[in-house]
Amino acid sequence: MAESMVGIKRSHRCTEVTTANIGQDVTVMGWVQKSRNKGGIIFVDLRDRSGILQIIFEESDCGAENFAKAEKLRSEFVIAVTGRVEARSGAVNPNLATGAIEVRAKSMRVLSESETPPFPIEENSKTKEELRLKYRFLDLRRPDLQRNMMVRSRVATLTRAFLADEGFLEIETPTLIKSTPEGARDYLVPSRVHPGSFYALPQSPQLFKQLLMCSGYDRYFQIARCYRDEDLRADRQPEFTQIDMELSFVDVDEVLDVNERLLQKLFKEICDYDLPLPLPRMTWQEAMDRFGSDKPDLRFGMELQDVSDVVKGCEFAVFKNALENGGSVRGINAEGQGHMPRKKIDALVEYAKGFGAKGLAYVAINEDGSLKSSFAKFMTEEEMGALVAAMGGKPGDLLLFAADRNKVVYDVLGNLRLELARQLDLLKKDDFKFLWVTEFPLLEYSEEEGRFVAMHHPFTMPMDEDLQYIDSDPGRVRAKAYDIVLNGVEMGGGSVRIHQGDVQSKMFEVLGFTPERANDQFGFLLEAFKYGVPPHAGLAYGFDRMVMLMVGADSIRDVIAFPKVKDASCLMTEAPTPVDPAQLKELGIEVAETEEE
Amino acid sequence: MAESMVGIKRSHRCTEVTTANIGQDVTVMGWVQKSRNKGGIIFVDLRDRSGILQIIFEESDCGAENFAKAEKLRSEFVIAVTGRVEARSGAVNPNLATGAIEVRAKSMRVLSESETPPFPIEENSKTKEELRLKYRFLDLRRPDLQRNMMVRSRVATLTRAFLADEGFLEIETPTLIKSTPEGARDYLVPSRVHPGSFYALPQSPQLFKQLLMCSGYDRYFQIARCYRDEDLRADRQPEFTQIDMELSFVDVDEVLDVNERLLQKLFKEICDYDLPLPLPRMTWQEAMDRFGSDKPDLRFGMELQDVSDVVKGCEFAVFKNALENGGSVRGINAEGQGHMPRKKIDALVEYAKGFGAKGLAYVAINEDGSLKSSFAKFMTEEEMGALVAAMGGKPGDLLLFAADRNKVVYDVLGNLRLELARQLDLLKKDDFKFLWVTEFPLLEYSEEEGRFVAMHHPFTMPMDEDLQYIDSDPGRVRAKAYDIVLNGVEMGGGSVRIHQGDVQSKMFEVLGFTPERANDQFGFLLEAFKYGVPPHAGLAYGFDRMVMLMVGADSIRDVIAFPKVKDASCLMTEAPTPVDPAQLKELGIEVAETEEE
């Protein structure tokens, strides 16, 4: 049965007890990691969030009653122990912070017993994730998850302190807001007071932070919960956290500068990594041309080469058709992979097809300089020689080519490059390669919707020199938008915002909004724009992703205390659940009848 | 038309320019507070969040073009000005931080024009709140609201830094959770992936923070958004913010200690108020007996006196009946108010009736010692004398009595005491009287539901010595619960939690939960309690209220950037709104047909 802790006080966390305390009495409390009786001495590894401390019970020290209790200890019992700190009698354990000491118990209380947990509490658990998520309260006891949560807390603390020092105000924006569907789906919240009306949960604080700039707050930040009702992919959660900021009276450079210094501080303090500033910048176009991606992983080379000019005269139909249809032919050189077996190359071709490629042309350069190629028969020897030369091909290299519309070529080779890097183990988790990607296209044409849509969002400022094309050639207009990319992951992004009512109206027009619809959805912003708006710009980080990268976790679920799984449910609480019909009635809504099919 | 800020950079905020900058060129940016042309010199008060700086334009300095632009400036235009800092040529303005200087403009850009705002941007606005909330983006420009937001940000920063230093980890808990209705109504969120199922928005992170203690996080905090779908009273918002914390291996004293030190730090840094520690403590019973309230305002006396024993023999039916029905007769002495006109006393009687009093008995003691009383005719002279003596009545005093069930007597006199203090202007906003109220009843009987309900929540630990009465006399059991009260406002509260599965099950039983229902709603917590739970306790502050008290605001709306009004709507965005039927269809819900009545 549980004993009370009335009358005793903890003096130290487990690893706060050090050799400096030898000879002193301490009171420690925590969980039994393990307990064993060795020749009449009971050894207990006591665990708290700080780590492990060894306790020893001998009947001559602690008396018969305490010893009897100690004999019954099992894993995950919660105990309080008072005892004397001693130099360890047995072998010093160099793997433990407290490996040179132990506490000789004088008294002990069992604060809480435990059934046998459904899986052991240990690092790098082999238990399948579903079971661990069902018992998340136990999973969260594992030291690796505890370290992740502590890092997350520390990153938040450091970020807030840094931004406060830089003159940012932390301002909370509402989360029961108006639904302004554009982009992902909103989560909706029915209103009881206004039946038939709904709030939305925010996809981001975007509009409110812009209003705060209109209101003169100058520099705003918030570590804000955001919501997107998307079909969940591996690294998405229905609710996620952003480090969100907005600055007035700035252009691109000031935003990037303050964020580089923030990142430098965080990666120094958390990862002990010295980040040289300024961070490299690359335009979106250059990133696509060199890496086939707007979030290039710079931890390795294997850059894309445009060989369209080299192959433009050849008779290989795949290349010819791509070029005739306005596309391109590009390749990557997987250096030293010329020996790759046909079966593995075929697997790469299949992989490429997953990204829209019709196929993948390759040239393996044998060690003797001879070529093995899927398309040599359609090319002259000179053409092949020129192609290999253009790719910098050396004996032992493998050249892989895609020929298609540019978008497909980028996508195929960009992903192929990453797949090869994974296969070749080029992606080191403790290497941090940062990059700003800038000058994104303002708009992208959506075949699906038959109109231009905003690449970032409708409030992004066109580049001054491109504004002239917004009517005649909207696809050509670049935006004052930027992403911060780390190791191939988009960690954050933002833009300078439109602060002129007329430009904002033009933007809505280009996006196909009627003035009525623009007004219905964003009327309050357009209204605010009538009363003196400062130039402003901002940025938001995916906080979960940032912490994931810092701790080297494989999933954001490992840096979120109570994550949801792919179907947006919580395996521990079983949310979402049906609710009492009386609750729905009060809200004025009904569950729709399921149609029989 | 708006000019760009490309090529210029702000050098200072307005009040960062000081006499130390005299002779230097600065570039400042902000809003035109006012602009006037006085004899060919244009004076502009430029405003940003830091304050006001005077700019002067003379054509000879800034050239004809800039001067012409300056002539057209109107309130709320956003401008950037570069100029030379000078000692002020006119009279020094001691009310301005920058009152001794001005900036002589050399160049100016109009970054944004403004229409005439619907109300002036000024302190202590006389504009009615509805209009200000509709144009909240303008209202938020007012210096008093800006100060409130800056204090709020600072309180959050200080709180986080303090708690981090004390070993608290900031851990985010989910906000799309399982609905566990108990207490206030949940806001619900329909699930698209699981049609017919709903998430709830959390009323507090209670269960999750207790699970974090089960998981060994030891000390947790979060500045957490919470949601209650209540009928809104003056000082409630559908979403509000809590400073939420939980600690393991502690009892009441440790929680109170760390929070006293937090409060001391906050009130010193924000209000320059020295808070002497330890703060006073008072049991719930004493607070009710002395002040008729579980959140007594200690800025003034006027304590309740129980005169039941004094009047128990008298024939006044009102007193007699109250005592016979197990109630009490209590009074307060409004010292020096014996001259209060009958009309005002009658108004007090009406006020008292609003809290359930059937009437209010009074005795005015004239300066000559004679009595004027509503019930003297039912009492002997001796009885009256004893009553006045028991109340400490002196010539010139007004004694007011309530006789009823204790609950009504407390409520009537507690509120009457406050009403008198308001009338007598005894409530100073810069006086901070803190109090811990402890030992709350664990349960209160709900006549409405015909059962005991938890006074705090079902996870509150009974006091060790009272646990024995939980079956035989549940109303007698006191809880290890505590509220922190400031100037009559409950600023926060918490409790030691039950950490024993058997006690928790017993508690659910006393609250009338079937085991099935307890399991359905809180099964994951009961499950967690099987695997080793540390003793734990916590506390949460109403953050909005705390800031309101610190800045002396009258409403929490004045410390929330974008508040909602009483019907839970936002006057600026008009949320909540009807949504696209396609959105509802995807969510599998329908708006219920309104019944015609």
Side-chain angles (χ1 to χ4, degrees):
Chain A
M1 283 289 57
E3 295 177 270
S4 150
M5 62 170 285
V6 168
I8 53 172
K9 278 186 80 159
R10 178 169 66 171
S11 65
H12 298 76
R13 292 201 184 88
C14 286
T15 64
E16 289 166 5
V17 182
T18 69
T19 49
N21 301 106
I22 288 174
Q24 297 171 2
D25 279 358
V26 297
T27 299
V28 288
M29 303 185 186
W31 285 258
V32 172
Q33 179 69 31
K34 58 181 181 190
S35 171
R36 59 208 180 284
N37 189 327
K38 226 163 77 181
I41 306 178
I42 296 167
F43 293 83
V44 168
D45 279 357
L46 188 70
R47 187 192 72 232
D48 66 17
R49 82 173 194 211
S50 75
I52 297 245
L53 176 64
Q54 180 166 286
I55 315 287
I56 59 172
F57 292 87
E58 284 197 77
E59 192 165 347
S60 52
D61 300 311
C62 64
E65 194 186 338
N66 282 313
F67 192 79
K69 285 194 287 182
E71 280 185 302
K72 288 184 192 139
L73 290 179
R74 300 211 323 256
S75 288
E76 302 310 312
F77 275 38
V78 180
I79 61 173
V81 175
T82 300
R84 175 75 43 100
V85 183
E86 298 182 346
R88 198 173 276 213
S89 49
V92 165
N93 182 344
N95 298 320
L96 277 188
T98 58
I101 52 171
E102 60 197 8
V103 170
R104 181 170 293 271
K106 295 180 176 176
S107 65
M108 191 257 288
R109 296 190 198 178
V110 176
L111 302 177
S112 177
E113 299 187 343
S114 173
E115 296 185 5
T116 303
F119 52 85
I121 308 304
E122 62 188 7
E123 298 229 1
N124 305 314
S125 178
K126 300 283 183 299
T127 306
K128 67 174 182 170
E129 196 183 13
E130 286 68 31
L131 187 67
R132 289 191 286 111
L133 287 174
K134 177 169 159 57
Y135 293 93
R136 185 64 165 179
F137 43 84
L138 296 178
D139 196 30
L140 282 170
R141 291 183 186 176
R142 295 192 304 108
D144 33 3
L145 276 190
Q146 293 205 337
R147 273 195 305 272
N148 291 355
M149 294 304 138
M150 286 190 243
V151 165
R152 185 179 175 117
S153 173
R154 186 116 187 283
V155 175
T157 302
L158 290 167
T159 300
R160 289 190 162 106
F162 177 89
L163 292 175
D165 280 350
E166 294 280 335
F168 287 81
L169 300 172
E170 185 175 5
I171 302 179
E172 294 173 70
T173 55
T175 58
L176 292 172
I177 68 169
K178 179 181 162 115
S179 180
T180 56
E182 172 75 13
R185 282 185 209 92
D186 282 337
Y187 277 104
L188 296 182
V189 182
S191 161
R192 180 179 54 83
V193 186
H194 306 273
S197 286
F198 295 80
Y199 305 96
L201 299 178
Q203 297 188 25
S204 84
Q206 185 63 33
L207 295 168
F208 290 101
K209 69 176 175 172
Q210 291 195 240
L211 289 174
L212 287 171
M213 296 302 101
C214 291
S215 302
Y217 286 84
D218 204 287
R219 293 189 166 202
Y220 141 96
F221 86 99
Q222 191 179 194
I223 300 189
R225 201 70 59 89
C226 303
Y227 305 83
R228 281 182 204 163
D229 187 7
E230 292 178 311
D231 296 308
L232 300 180
R233 286 181 266 149
D235 251 11
R236 293 283 173 87
Q237 288 280 319
E239 54 180 314
F240 57 98
T241 304
Q242 281 187 355
I243 301 175
D244 190 49
M245 67 181 77
E246 195 79 7
L247 302 81
S248 289
F249 301 115
V250 297
D251 207 325
V252 176
D253 284 349
E254 287 91 344
V255 179
L256 270 49
D257 169 67
V258 73
N259 278 285
E260 291 187 351
R261 289 183 292 109
L262 169 62
L263 291 170
Q264 188 179 53
K265 183 179 175 78
L266 292 178
F267 279 79
K268 180 66 190 169
E269 299 270 341
I270 302 289
C271 307
D272 195 26
Y273 185 86
D274 286 302
L275 196 54
L277 301 189
L279 298 179
R281 298 188 195 183
M282 193 181 287
T283 66
W284 178 86
Q285 191 59 58
E286 182 182 348
M288 297 307 287
D289 286 342
R290 289 176 55 192
F291 301 96
S293 167
D294 59 3
K295 41 180 192 282
D297 192 327
L298 299 189
R299 285 176 293 180
F300 65 102
M302 218 188 290
E303 296 189 15
L304 278 61
Q305 308 284 349
D306 187 346
V307 293
S308 303
D309 282 348
V310 181
V311 301
K312 74 165 174 260
C314 82
E315 288 304 310
F316 182 32
V318 171
F319 288 179
K320 212 168 145 173
N321 292 341
L323 294 175
E324 278 169 7
N325 292 324
S328 58
V329 181
R330 296 170 202 248
I332 55 177
N333 181 350
E335 294 181 25
Q337 298 302 308
H339 60 277
M340 189 181 282
R342 178 61 188 264
K343 212 168 154 181
K344 251 180 117 176
I345 295 179
D346 288 345
L348 289 179
V349 175
E350 285 312 303
Y351 181 82
K353 285 182 179 168
F355 295 94
K358 288 187 277 292
L360 205 58
Y362 70 87
V363 179
I365 310 175
N366 297 321
E367 293 297 341
D368 63 3
S370 65
L371 305 181
K372 194 168 56 190
S373 166
S374 59
F375 60 100
K377 54 187 169 200
F378 305 108
M379 309 273 283
T380 67
E381 207 165 309
E382 290 70 35
E383 285 169 343
M384 282 304 273
L387 184 58
V388 169
M391 293 297 298
K394 303 175 304 299
D397 287 354
L398 175 66
L399 312 179
L400 296 155
F401 299 94
D404 213 311
R405 288 181 300 126
N406 282 334
K407 196 170 154 40
V408 175
V409 171
Y410 288 143
D411 212 25
V412 167
L413 293 183
N415 280 292
L416 196 63
R417 180 179 169 268
L418 288 175
E419 175 60 20
L420 284 162
R422 279 187 289 268
Q423 292 187 6
L424 302 173
D425 200 20
L426 302 177
L427 306 173
K428 302 296 170 207
K429 278 190 176 174
D430 57 352
D431 187 13
F432 297 108
K433 285 285 182 285
F434 286 86
L435 174 71
W436 289 109
V437 177
T438 64
E439 300 183 15
F440 278 76
L442 181 68
L443 304 159
E444 56 186 346
Y445 193 78
S446 164
E447 302 285 348
E448 202 178 318
E449 305 194 34
R451 64 170 178 109
F452 279 101
V453 295
M455 193 139 177
H456 271 65
H457 54 56
F459 315 107
T460 303
M461 181 82 102
M463 286 182 67
D464 303 283
E465 56 269 48
D466 290 358
L467 193 50
Q468 55 184 313
Y469 305 116
I470 192 140
D471 283 313
S472 59
D473 189 3
R476 176 176 175 177
V477 179
R478 292 164 300 162
K480 289 193 180 183
Y482 33 79
D483 276 358
I484 179 73
V485 174
L486 169 56
N487 293 356
V489 177
E490 178 206 327
M491 199 162 64
S495 63
V496 176
R497 323 301 184 185
I498 299 168
H499 75 279
Q500 308 92 330
D502 54 344
V503 178
Q504 187 64 67
S505 295
K506 165 62 70 182
M507 184 70 176
F508 282 131
E509 183 193 319
V510 172
L511 293 173
F513 282 59
T514 61
E516 291 70 34
R517 185 173 155 217
N519 198 60
D520 184 45
Q521 284 193 30
F522 303 109
F524 54 97
L525 187 74
L526 296 173
E527 187 70 19
F529 274 17
K530 294 180 184 165
Y531 298 102
V533 191
H536 58 289
L539 186 141
Y541 296 94
F543 184 52
D544 310 296
R545 271 194 217 173
M546 181 193 272
V547 178
M548 179 186 80
L549 290 166
M550 284 177 158
V551 301
D554 292 316
S555 159
I556 55 171
R557 290 188 299 279
D558 289 337
V559 297
I560 295 173
F562 299 98
K564 295 191 174 61
V565 292
K566 283 202 183 184
D567 72 350
S569 72
C570 168
L571 298 183
M572 181 184 70
T573 63
E574 295 174 345
T577 57
V579 295
D580 190 331
Q583 287 177 274
L584 298 187
K585 190 163 182 216
E586 236 183 352
L587 295 173
I589 60 169
E590 290 167 356
V591 174
E593 298 286 327
T594 314
E595 288 165 42
E596 308 274 342
E597 286 181 72
Chain B
M1 283 290 58
E3 295 177 271
S4 150
M5 61 168 287
V6 169
I8 53 173
K9 278 185 80 160
R10 179 169 66 171
S11 66
H12 298 76
R13 292 201 183 89
C14 286
T15 64
E16 289 167 4
V17 182
T18 68
T19 50
N21 301 106
I22 287 174
Q24 298 171 1
D25 280 357
V26 296
T27 298
V28 288
M29 305 185 186
W31 285 258
V32 173
Q33 179 69 30
K34 61 182 178 188
S35 171
R36 59 210 180 283
N37 189 327
K38 225 164 76 182
I41 305 178
I42 296 167
F43 294 84
V44 168
D45 279 358
L46 187 69
R47 187 193 72 232
D48 66 16
R49 82 173 194 209
S50 75
I52 297 243
L53 176 65
Q54 180 165 287
I55 316 287
I56 59 171
F57 292 87
E58 282 198 77
E59 193 165 345
S60 53
D61 300 311
C62 65
E65 195 186 337
N66 281 314
F67 193 79
K69 284 193 289 182
E71 281 186 301
K72 288 184 193 139
L73 290 179
R74 299 209 324 256
S75 288
E76 303 309 312
F77 276 37
V78 179
I79 62 173
V81 176
T82 300
R84 174 75 44 100
V85 183
E86 297 183 346
R88 198 172 275 213
S89 49
V92 165
N93 182 345
N95 298 320
L96 277 188
T98 59
I101 53 171
E102 59 198 9
V103 170
R104 181 168 293 270
K106 294 180 175 177
S107 65
M108 189 256 289
R109 296 188 197 178
V110 176
L111 301 177
S112 178
E113 300 187 340
S114 172
E115 295 183 7
T116 303
F119 52 84
I121 308 304
E122 62 188 9
E123 298 229 1
N124 304 315
S125 179
K126 302 281 183 300
T127 306
K128 67 174 184 172
E129 196 183 14
E130 285 69 27
L131 187 67
R132 291 192 286 111
L133 287 174
K134 177 169 157 58
Y135 292 93
R136 185 64 165 180
F137 43 84
L138 296 178
D139 196 31
L140 282 170
R141 290 184 187 175
R142 297 192 303 108
D144 32 4
L145 276 190
Q146 293 205 338
R147 273 195 305 272
N148 291 355
M149 294 304 137
M150 286 189 246
V151 166
R152 185 179 175 117
S153 173
R154 187 117 186 282
V155 176
T157 302
L158 290 167
T159 300
R160 289 189 163 108
F162 177 89
L163 292 175
D165 281 350
E166 294 280 337
F168 287 81
L169 300 172
E170 184 175 4
I171 302 179
E172 296 173 68
T173 55
T175 59
L176 292 172
I177 68 168
K178 179 180 162 119
S179 180
T180 55
E182 172 75 14
R185 278 186 211 94
D186 283 336
Y187 277 104
L188 296 182
V189 182
S191 161
R192 179 179 54 82
V193 186
H194 306 274
S197 285
F198 295 80
Y199 305 96
L201 299 178
Q203 297 188 23
S204 85
Q206 185 64 34
L207 294 169
F208 290 100
K209 69 176 176 172
Q210 289 195 242
L211 289 175
L212 287 172
M213 295 303 102
C214 290
S215 302
Y217 286 85
D218 204 287
R219 294 189 164 202
Y220 141 96
F221 87 99
Q222 190 178 196
I223 300 190
R225 202 70 59 88
C226 304
Y227 304 84
R228 279 180 206 166
D229 187 8
E230 292 178 313
D231 296 308
L232 301 179
R233 285 179 267 150
D235 251 10
R236 293 281 174 90
Q237 289 280 320
E239 54 180 315
F240 57 97
T241 303
Q242 280 187 357
I243 301 175
D244 190 49
M245 68 182 75
E246 195 79 9
L247 302 81
S248 288
F249 301 115
V250 296
D251 208 325
V252 177
D253 285 348
E254 288 92 342
V255 179
L256 269 49
D257 168 66
V258 72
N259 278 284
E260 291 187 351
R261 289 183 293 109
L262 169 62
L263 291 169
Q264 187 179 54
K265 182 178 177 78
L266 293 178
F267 278 79
K268 180 66 190 168
E269 298 271 341
I270 302 289
C271 307
D272 195 26
Y273 186 86
D274 286 302
L275 195 55
L277 299 189
L279 298 180
R281 299 188 195 183
M282 193 181 285
T283 66
W284 178 87
Q285 191 59 58
E286 182 181 349
M288 298 306 288
D289 285 342
R290 289 176 55 192
F291 301 96
S293 168
D294 58 3
K295 40 179 192 282
D297 192 329
L298 298 190
R299 285 176 294 179
F300 65 103
M302 218 188 290
E303 296 189 15
L304 279 61
Q305 308 283 350
D306 188 345
V307 292
S308 302
D309 281 349
V310 181
V311 302
K312 69 166 177 262
C314 79
E315 288 304 311
F316 181 30
V318 171
F319 288 178
K320 213 169 147 173
N321 292 342
L323 295 175
E324 278 169 6
N325 292 322
S328 58
V329 181
R330 295 170 204 249
I332 56 177
N333 181 350
E335 294 180 25
Q337 297 302 309
H339 60 278
M340 190 181 280
R342 177 62 187 265
K343 213 168 152 182
K344 252 180 116 176
I345 294 179
D346 287 345
L348 289 180
V349 174
E350 284 311 304
Y351 181 83
K353 285 181 178 168
F355 295 93
K358 288 185 276 293
L360 205 58
Y362 70 87
V363 179
I365 311 174
N366 297 321
E367 294 297 341
D368 64 2
S370 65
L371 305 181
K372 194 167 58 191
S373 167
S374 58
F375 61 98
K377 55 188 167 202
F378 306 109
M379 307 273 283
T380 67
E381 208 164 310
E382 290 71 32
E383 283 168 344
M384 282 305 270
L387 184 57
V388 168
M391 293 298 297
K394 302 174 306 298
D397 288 353
L398 174 67
L399 312 179
L400 296 155
F401 299 93
D404 212 312
R405 287 181 300 126
N406 281 334
K407 196 171 155 41
V408 174
V409 170
Y410 288 143
D411 213 24
V412 166
L413 292 183
N415 280 291
L416 196 64
R417 179 179 170 269
L418 288 175
E419 175 61 19
L420 283 162
R422 279 188 291 267
Q423 292 185 8
L424 302 173
D425 200 20
L426 301 179
L427 306 173
K428 302 297 170 207
K429 278 192 176 173
D430 57 353
D431 187 12
F432 298 107
K433 286 286 184 283
F434 286 85
L435 174 71
W436 289 109
V437 177
T438 63
E439 300 183 14
F440 277 76
L442 181 69
L443 304 159
E444 56 186 344
Y445 193 77
S446 164
E447 302 285 350
E448 201 178 318
E449 306 193 35
R451 63 171 178 110
F452 278 100
V453 295
M455 193 139 178
H456 271 65
H457 54 56
F459 314 107
T460 302
M461 181 83 102
M463 287 181 67
D464 303 284
E465 55 268 50
D466 290 357
L467 192 51
Q468 55 185 312
Y469 307 115
I470 192 136
D471 284 312
S472 58
D473 188 3
R476 174 176 177 176
V477 179
R478 291 164 301 162
K480 290 192 178 182
Y482 33 80
D483 276 358
I484 178 73
V485 173
L486 170 56
N487 292 355
V489 177
E490 179 205 327
M491 199 162 63
S495 62
V496 176
R497 323 300 183 184
I498 299 168
H499 75 279
Q500 309 92 329
D502 55 344
V503 179
Q504 187 64 65
S505 295
K506 165 63 69 183
M507 183 71 177
F508 282 131
E509 181 192 320
V510 172
L511 293 173
F513 282 59
T514 60
E516 291 70 33
R517 184 171 155 220
N519 198 58
D520 185 43
Q521 284 193 31
F522 304 108
F524 53 97
L525 187 74
L526 296 173
E527 187 68 20
F529 275 17
K530 293 180 184 165
Y531 298 102
V533 190
H536 58 289
L539 185 140
Y541 296 94
F543 184 51
D544 310 296
R545 272 193 216 173
M546 180 193 274
V547 177
M548 180 187 79
L549 290 165
M550 284 178 160
V551 301
D554 293 316
S555 159
I556 55 171
R557 289 187 300 280
D558 289 337
V559 298
I560 295 174
F562 299 99
K564 295 192 173 60
V565 292
K566 282 202 186 185
D567 72 351
S569 72
C570 169
L571 297 183
M572 181 183 70
T573 63
E574 295 173 344
T577 57
V579 296
D580 190 331
Q583 287 177 274
L584 298 187
K585 190 162 182 221
E586 237 183 351
L587 294 173
I589 60 169
E590 290 167 356
V591 173
E593 298 286 325
T594 316
E595 288 165 42
E596 307 276 341
E597 285 180 75

